[in-house]
Every structure is written in C-alpha cells, then in structure tokens.
Amino acid sequence: MKFAPTALALAVVTAIVAPQFAHANADAATQNLPAEAENDTAVASQSQQPIEKMVITSSRMAKPVSAIPNTVTVIDQETLQQQLAASRDLSTIIGNLAPGFSPSRQKMSNTGETLRGRAPLIMIDGVPQSNPLRSGGRSGQTIDPDMIERIEIIHGANALHGLGAQGGIINYITKKPDDSGHKLSLDVSAPTDLSHDSLSFGANYSFSGSSGALDMLGSVGYHSSGVYYDANGDVIGVDTTQGESMDSQSKDLFLKFGYDMDDSRLELMINHFRMNNNGNWMAVKGSVANDIPTSAVEQSQPWDAANNRVTTSSLVYKHNDIGGQQLEMQLFNQNFQAVYGGGCFASFYDPEFDSAPGLTTCSTTNKGENLYYEQSRNRSNKWGLKTSLLANDLLGFGVDLAYGLDLFSDTTEQDLVQTGVSWVPETRYDNIAPFAQLSFEPLPQLALSAGIRQEFATLKVDDYKTLWGAGNKQVAGGEPDFSQTLFNLGASYNLTPALRVYSSYSQGFGMADIGRLLRDGNSFPAENASVDGAINLEPVLTDNYELGIDYQGEYFTAKLAGFHSGSDMGARLELNQDGIYSVKREKSIIRGIEASLNAYVGDADTLGLNMALTEGRYDANQDGRTDTDLDGANIAPNRVNLYWEHEFSFEATSRIQLNYFMDREFHKADGSEYANFDGYYTVDASFTVPLYGGSLSVGLQNLLNEDYYTYYSQTMPNDTRNFKGMGRTVSLGYSLPF
C-alpha cells in the first residue's frame, strides 16, 4: 500500500471539513457548555461528559492539549483499567489506543516495538527507562501497571526530555498520595480451555494517606504468569534468548512521599521492579517455510533464566513563586540490569574456553570447536538532574517562557554471564543540555511556540577487544564529543471553539545502539580500529513535520494528523543469521497518517475508531535516496481499531474492541518482495461492575480465538522465533478499597 501524505493534502482536507464542523459547532454552542470545555482532550479520551481541561505534564510547560502542536494520546485511569481487564501487557494497551505503536511481541523483550516507526523514549514520571547506549529491548518491563495513574504519549520526534525520543515520548505517570486509605486488588487469567499450567494470577495491596503537610503512598504487587497457548490449544514457543514473559514472576514495590510547604512541595518516588522467568521450558524449533510454529517443551533451561531488575527513583522539588517564576527540579536515578537467556551460539565461542571446566558443551563444529552454553547481561546506571523555570506572561506581553538545564550521565556495560568476558565495554555517556521554550498567544484563538535545545555530549570508552567470534579485534578507546542544536516550531489555531488546526516542526536527538556498534567488529573496518572518529557512532538526528486537525463537539470528536519523519543517518536494526541484531546507519524516511473518531450515541454509548497508516524506506545502496521498505523490526503495520463502550444504569461499564492489522508486502530497491505480513484481527471485551463495595472486572482477550502468527514473527522470519499469538484468554479481577 503506497501513499504520500503531504501538507497540501491535509490542507485540502481541512478546507473541506472546516465549514461543516463550524456549522455543527454552532448548534453545540447553544447547549451552554462550560467555558473550560475546550478541545483539550487526547486521542484516548472517550467520555460523553463535559470535558475537563487536560494538562500534559510531559510537555515541560504543563500545557493543555489544545496548546500543543502535536498528536497527543492520554490513557487515563478509567481507560487503563478497562484495558487491564483483558490484558496486563502495557505494549498491547498502548497499541490498542495509539495505533501508531507496534503490536506487542507478547514477550519479555520489546525489541522492534516502535512509535511512528522509530524508538520512543519510555519514562516513569519523567525518569528515562530506555537505555540509549545498549537498548536490549527491555525498557517496556520496568513497572507494574497497577502503579500507574495515566500514560501520556507525545507522538513524533522531539527533544523535550533529551536523549532518545526519536519516535516520541511514552511517560508513565505514577499514582499520587491521597486519603483513600487501603486497597486490595486480585486478578486471575487463563486460556478458556483451562490447561493446568496456564493459570496466571496476581495481587496488589496499596495504602495512601496524609498527616498534616506529609502524605504517603505505598504499593506492593506480585504477578505470576502461566504458560501461553495459541488458538489451537498448543503451547506457544518460548524466547529463551531475548526473554520470555510466560512462565514468569514479577514483583513491584512502590513508595511515594510528599511534603507540602509554603508555595512549594518536595516529593520522593521509588519503584523497584523484578521480573524473573522460571526457566522451566525450552523452545522447539519451528519452520517458517513449512508453516510450523515454534513450540516449547517442559524442560529446565541449562543456564540462568532471563530476568529484569530495575530500580527507579526521583526526588522532585517544586516552588510556585521564585521571583514570580515557577521552579521545578528533579534529581533522578535508574539502576537497570537485564539477564538474557542462553544458547549454543558460535558468536560467543572463544578458543580460550574450549572445554573449560564449569561450562556445558552443547555441540561441536566441523572445525572441531566445542561450543558451550553462554548468555549475556546488560547493566546500566543513569543519573540526571532536570532544572526548569517557568515565567508566565513575561513582561506583560502574554509570552510564557520555560528555560533550564538538563544534566544526564549513563554508564552501561554488557558482559557474558558464564565466562565473565566483556561483550560491550563499559561505556559512559555524559550530556549537558540548556534549553528554552517560548509560548505566545497573539490572538485568543492562536497559540505559537518555539524552542531551542543545545546538546553537549561526550562518549567515553576505554581500550577493548571484540569477542573472538566478532574478529577478536583490538579497538582503541576514546572520548568523541558531539554538539547539536535542536529546534522546534509550532502553531495551533482554533478556527472555532470546537475546531483546531495545528502544525509543527521538531527535531529529535539520540544515539544509535552504541553497544551493538562497539561489539561488532564490522563497525571498525580500518586496520587501526579506534572509537575516535568512528562515523557509525555519530548521533541520530530526526526531523519531524506534522500537520493536524482536531474537532471537539457535543456528538462526536475527530482527529486527523499527517507526519513526515526523516533522518540522514538513522539507526536500523538488522537481524543476523545467528538471531543477534546489528545496527545499520542509513538515511531513512517514515511518513504516515493517524486518525481517530469518537461518536456519542445517546447518553450511554460511545463508538470509536483509531487508525494509523505508515510507510517507511531506507537507503540500502548508500546513494542518498531511500529505496527499500523498512521491515517489521523498524515499522508498525497499518491498522484500524474499532470499539464500543456502554454505561449501564447500575454503574457498570462494558467495552468491546476490534484490532485489524492490514496485509503488507516489503520490497527491495529492485521491486522484489523480501517479506510479507498476512494480516489478522483480534477482538477483546471487558465488563466492570460494582460489587460489595469494590469493583469486579471480566475480560476476554482474543474473544473469537483468532489463529495467527505475531507481526514480529511474520516480518522477521526465523525458525527459532516463529511464534503464534495467544488464543482466547479470560481474566477476572476484583479490587476492594477499605
């Protein structure tokens, strides 16, 4: 499917629909809606009630949606609970409500899950969870969903929070202390054939209260996942290398303390999350060519099972009046460790350990080399300080100015667990970034914004040697530094109180997966290999253009946006024959259309549609022109999401949603097809009802028991990862405040 969304095309659409929307709004205006019921809603807001002014804290200026010239999705607590009734996978939930996000892999790894075809920056309360130096695909498994109040998603590359937001920002906003007291939540799920080992269950206990100026929230959660089954009742294959979420356990401890002072507040947040695979299942190789899915057999893994251990902490100080300005300072830390499953990999072989004691030999090559089971471990420690000041109505001219300084440091290393050999040398990234952001409303209906951010970055790598399988190459370390000025411009214009058009240009700054580049001997073809001057280590700069139109009326809301994202030196993931990814630095262009429509039928029903159409190409032959389709590890499928919500008179609610993923072919520069995706659809349903002072939820994932291979498995064909999706699964949940 080919298309070319352009500014001209969207302008034509705007010209056509504006008069009709304006006419509809004239009728709505007679209903005497509250003055604050502007079009300050996000894509996922689906309420028939008067719409509250929704402030997006991830914008660094705490602006309402109507003043942000980007597509924004907010998944509020009510919508999040609806989705959790059917699935606890955050990637699935985000994809259901922001279809420009890739379908979930249904694994511990989120490698290949992109937003608008590029990696998003995932945060918890503004603290980066993404690992820019050595991604590893585990940033999606760092918090229990029960600790989240809402999710803010800003689509498209931007530099609001610095490093890593090539595809946008996904910010998990955690719950805040109040006087709600205690709450206990229980949940259980299983395939509808109720296989004995498929039961998943969990519990969460939280307490919240205050005493004078001090408030506190604490929560502890545990969840055990059973074995996953497909629509045919067969065990789904396990990903013993990148990490498997089935047959696993997760634990989360969350604490938040707040102290209010005159015109100021101090808040401490700590979240410790652990996820461990039990290691009781081994993969059974499938066959892509013969339509045989990868399966699994109950057998102990001969290595340490994959796991995630993440501690996120944040100390925030806010003052509402320092010389007439608002101050916010955030000191944060994220300590991250991910252990990946093992395998019999030639890439990890080293003759130094041939037949070494303590290692388990798994096969012998035709050269007589004794391969052994090995696995890797990724460790990252991030520190940062974000300081910003906000001056409103500067000099009486209606100009708001946010400015400040961000400091960031990330130290990352990846080693091999069994032998202790360094795979990715210890790498340190230091960043200093002053920024300024202006917002101006020269007319009541017009909001303009402009910003600048200066990135000063240094990468520090000591001398190291690549693995024997990667050339055993000695590489001289170094301290390459980078300086980049980033700009953003935006305009939002209310044609009527209900109809808004907006346009923006923004730049995103990030690093390619440095770890993958450093460990790959091919990254340093010169005889005297050196980190200094290596062009592959240059930052990724992404230019994002967007044009959109929003309508907020009494009977329906609508959004339409087109975007164009380009990078002269992108960072594409390419899967090698041994199942390990490498990074390719090439020019890439991604463009697409995102749309949503919510219709309010009567007083109790809401019908909705979300859609995303995206295409992406890269420069395969390095001639400066994009010529080859990006594959499924780098771009999401075209998809349509439909839903129907109903509110019952006895305070119960229901939702049924359909996700349709469209067929797609992937072509090389010569027009030949190198991969294809056989689309599929899934239907989910949820029902929530008050019961004995609490709330009971019932959810069905894949209600019609659709038999399908996942998007990632189809578009990145590999016999060891030819995974099917989960079959029909029923979930029950009950929460009780006391």
Side-chain angles (χ1 to χ4, degrees):
M1 180 178 183
K2 300 296 181 182
F3 59 93
T6 64
L8 177 60
L10 282 174
V12 171
V13 172
T14 302
I16 294 172
V17 300
Q20 300 177 45
F21 282 159
H23 177 72
N25 182 66
D27 294 336
T30 64
Q31 303 299 318
N32 194 28
L33 295 177
E36 66 177 12
E38 301 172 341
N39 50 316
D40 296 351
T41 63
V43 171
S45 180
Q46 298 149 359
S47 173
Q48 294 177 245
Q49 305 304 317
I51 295 172
E52 299 176 348
K53 185 176 286 292
M54 187 176 295
V55 173
I56 306 302
T57 60
S58 303
S59 68
R60 298 295 293 264
M61 294 187 78
K63 290 288 186 180
V65 176
S66 60
I68 298 176
N70 301 90
T71 298
V72 178
T73 299
V74 176
I75 303 173
D76 60 22
Q77 179 63 198
E78 180 181 356
T79 305
L80 180 60
Q81 291 303 317
Q82 284 179 331
Q83 296 294 320
L84 288 173
S87 172
R88 293 183 57 82
D89 180 33
L90 286 171
S91 294
T92 296
I93 292 171
I94 293 172
N96 288 341
L97 301 171
F101 189 74
S102 298
S104 171
R105 292 182 61 184
Q106 302 178 3
K107 302 294 181 182
M108 190 183 293
S109 170
N110 65 333
T111 297
E113 293 179 8
T114 61
L115 179 62
R116 288 190 173 178
R118 301 190 189 276
L121 173 62
I122 298 176
M123 303 188 296
I124 296 176
D125 287 346
V127 180
Q129 303 299 295
S130 304
N131 296 304
L133 300 185
R134 175 68 275 272
S135 172
R138 294 284 187 85
S139 57
Q141 301 283 359
T142 63
I143 189 171
D144 190 303
D146 288 326
M147 313 323 185
I148 299 173
E149 176 65 28
R150 71 181 187 276
I151 304 173
E152 295 182 355
I153 305 170
I154 300 179
H155 301 234
N158 63 74
L160 293 172
H161 293 270
L163 187 70
Q166 301 300 301
I169 290 171
I170 299 175
N171 193 12
Y172 299 132
I173 308 297
T174 61
K175 294 181 177 179
K176 296 188 179 300
D178 54 29
D179 292 320
S180 59
H182 304 265
K183 184 177 182 180
L184 178 64
S185 300
L186 305 171
D187 65 87
V188 61
S189 66
T192 48
D193 61 5
L194 298 178
S195 302
H196 74 283
D197 50 9
S198 64
L199 185 69
S200 298
F201 59 89
N204 177 269
Y205 164 73
S206 65
F207 61 92
S208 183
S210 62
S211 176
L214 179 67
D215 52 57
M216 177 183 178
L217 170 65
S219 182
V220 59
Y222 171 82
H223 197 269
S224 175
S225 295
V227 177
Y228 297 163
Y229 285 81
D230 65 20
N232 299 314
D234 298 324
V235 177
I236 293 175
V238 295
D239 193 334
T240 55
T241 304
Q242 293 189 359
E244 181 58 58
S245 55
M246 89 172 194
D247 185 41
S248 69
Q249 302 176 61
S250 66
K251 304 172 185 177
D252 200 319
L253 174 64
F254 176 77
L255 293 171
K256 182 178 282 189
F257 300 90
Y259 187 77
D260 290 315
M261 299 165 280
D262 291 340
D263 291 326
S264 62
R265 176 175 173 83
L266 187 66
E267 191 169 87
L268 173 67
M269 182 275 290
I270 301 173
N271 187 74
H272 179 67
F273 177 83
R274 297 183 62 174
M275 185 174 189
N276 297 280
N277 187 262
N278 295 325
N280 297 327
W281 290 79
M282 287 288 288
V284 176
K285 193 174 182 178
S287 172
V288 175
N290 297 308
D291 192 25
I292 300 174
T294 303
S295 186
V297 61
E298 193 166 7
Q299 177 184 332
S300 295
Q301 298 172 11
W303 48 72
D304 297 340
N307 62 74
N308 254 23
R309 299 184 182 183
V310 188
T311 301
T312 303
S313 54
S314 168
L315 181 64
V316 177
Y317 175 72
K318 296 181 180 180
H319 199 292
N320 295 324
D321 188 5
I322 294 183
Q325 302 180 58
Q326 300 172 32
L327 170 69
E328 179 171 337
M329 300 180 66
Q330 181 184 36
L331 176 66
F332 65 82
N333 172 256
Q334 193 231 28
N335 191 280
F336 174 92
Q337 176 178 288
V339 172
Y340 299 88
C344 193
F345 302 124
S347 297
F348 290 163
Y349 172 77
D350 192 323
E352 179 182 347
F353 300 100
D354 197 349
S355 302
L359 298 180
T360 303
T361 300
C362 50
S363 70
T364 302
T365 70
N366 54 14
K367 298 180 181 179
E369 300 164 341
N370 294 318
L371 301 184
Y372 46 84
Y373 289 124
E374 184 56 286
Q375 61 189 125
S376 72
R377 171 177 48 208
N378 191 29
R379 289 176 286 195
S380 175
N381 191 32
K382 291 185 276 292
W383 286 92
L385 176 64
K386 295 179 179 179
T387 304
S388 59
L389 283 158
L390 176 60
N392 290 313
D393 195 17
L394 196 64
L395 301 177
F397 290 107
V399 176
D400 296 339
L401 170 65
Y403 63 100
L405 180 69
D406 292 346
L407 307 177
F408 180 73
S409 181
D410 182 352
T411 302
T412 294
E413 180 183 17
Q414 186 173 16
D415 63 353
L416 302 184
V417 174
Q418 308 300 329
T419 61
V421 173
S422 177
W423 190 13
V424 175
E426 184 175 279
T427 306
R428 179 173 170 177
Y429 176 88
D430 293 322
N431 178 263
I432 300 175
F435 69 92
Q437 185 76 27
L438 283 170
S439 177
F440 178 46
E441 295 186 8
L443 300 172
Q445 65 271 34
L446 176 63
L448 303 176
S449 62
I452 185 171
R453 182 183 180 95
Q454 183 65 48
E455 299 278 356
F456 299 101
T458 303
L459 189 68
K460 300 179 181 180
V461 184
D462 292 334
D463 296 346
Y464 72 100
K465 182 184 290 187
T466 65
L467 295 184
W468 190 85
N472 201 31
K473 183 174 291 187
Q474 185 69 45
V475 180
E479 295 187 12
D481 54 42
F482 317 100
S483 178
Q484 186 68 54
T485 304
L486 307 174
F487 299 95
N488 69 79
L489 297 169
S492 176
Y493 185 78
N494 289 319
L495 297 171
T496 74
L499 183 64
R500 174 178 81 113
V501 293
Y502 63 87
S503 183
S504 66
Y505 165 72
S506 56
Q507 293 182 302
F509 175 84
M511 303 295 292
D513 194 324
I514 297 297
R516 295 187 194 273
L517 291 168
L518 292 178
R519 74 192 192 190
D520 184 0
N522 294 325
S523 298
F524 306 95
E527 199 166 301
N528 298 316
S530 174
V531 168
D532 282 326
I535 191 169
N536 279 345
L537 302 183
E538 290 290 324
V540 179
L541 182 64
T542 305
D543 295 309
N544 188 80
Y545 303 85
E546 183 166 349
L547 179 64
I549 180 170
D550 298 347
Y551 173 73
Q552 175 67 59
E554 180 184 6
Y555 302 112
F556 71 95
T557 65
K559 289 178 176 282
L560 174 67
F563 68 89
H564 181 283
S565 173
S567 178
D568 288 336
M569 197 175 189
R572 180 179 60 90
L573 289 180
E574 183 172 84
L575 187 63
N576 299 326
Q577 290 185 350
D578 57 4
I580 296 175
Y581 289 94
S582 60
V583 178
K584 302 298 182 183
R585 304 301 308 274
E586 303 144 335
K587 179 177 181 179
S588 62
I589 291 177
I590 301 171
R591 52 192 179 183
I593 294 174
E594 296 175 342
S596 70
L597 176 67
N598 302 316
Y600 309 126
V601 182
D603 296 327
D605 295 282
T606 304
L607 302 176
L609 174 149
N610 294 315
M611 180 183 71
L613 304 175
T614 311
E615 68 171 15
R617 297 171 71 80
Y618 68 93
D619 180 9
N621 58 10
Q622 302 288 317
D623 66 353
R625 299 173 59 186
T626 57
D627 49 36
T628 302
D629 292 341
L630 288 169
D631 58 27
N634 297 275
I635 198 167
N638 297 327
R639 69 191 283 184
V640 175
N641 300 349
L642 303 173
Y643 76 90
W644 170 38
E645 285 183 5
H646 181 74
E647 297 181 5
F648 295 88
S649 58
F650 50 95
E651 297 184 352
T653 61
S654 66
R655 178 183 174 103
I656 185 167
Q657 61 191 23
L658 179 146
N659 288 305
Y660 171 55
F661 303 91
M662 304 179 191
D663 295 353
R664 168 171 261 167
E665 298 176 349
F666 300 87
H667 297 94
K668 295 181 180 180
D670 61 6
S672 62
E673 179 183 312
Y674 72 88
N676 69 74
F677 169 59
D678 184 12
Y680 59 88
Y681 66 90
T682 59
V683 177
D684 307 321
S686 63
F687 177 75
T688 304
V689 60
L691 182 67
Y692 296 115
S695 177
L696 174 69
S697 66
V698 182
L700 281 164
Q701 184 179 12
N702 195 1
L703 173 65
L704 301 182
N705 205 32
E706 172 77 357
D707 181 26
Y708 66 95
Y709 289 93
T710 65
Y711 175 71
Y712 181 88
S713 296
Q714 290 191 53
T715 57
M716 302 297 293
N718 185 312
D719 289 346
T720 60
R721 292 185 181 136
N722 196 33
F723 300 126
K724 283 200 170 182
M726 295 171 61
R728 184 190 299 116
T729 304
V730 60
S731 300
L732 295 174
Y734 184 71
S735 61
L736 177 68
F738 59 95

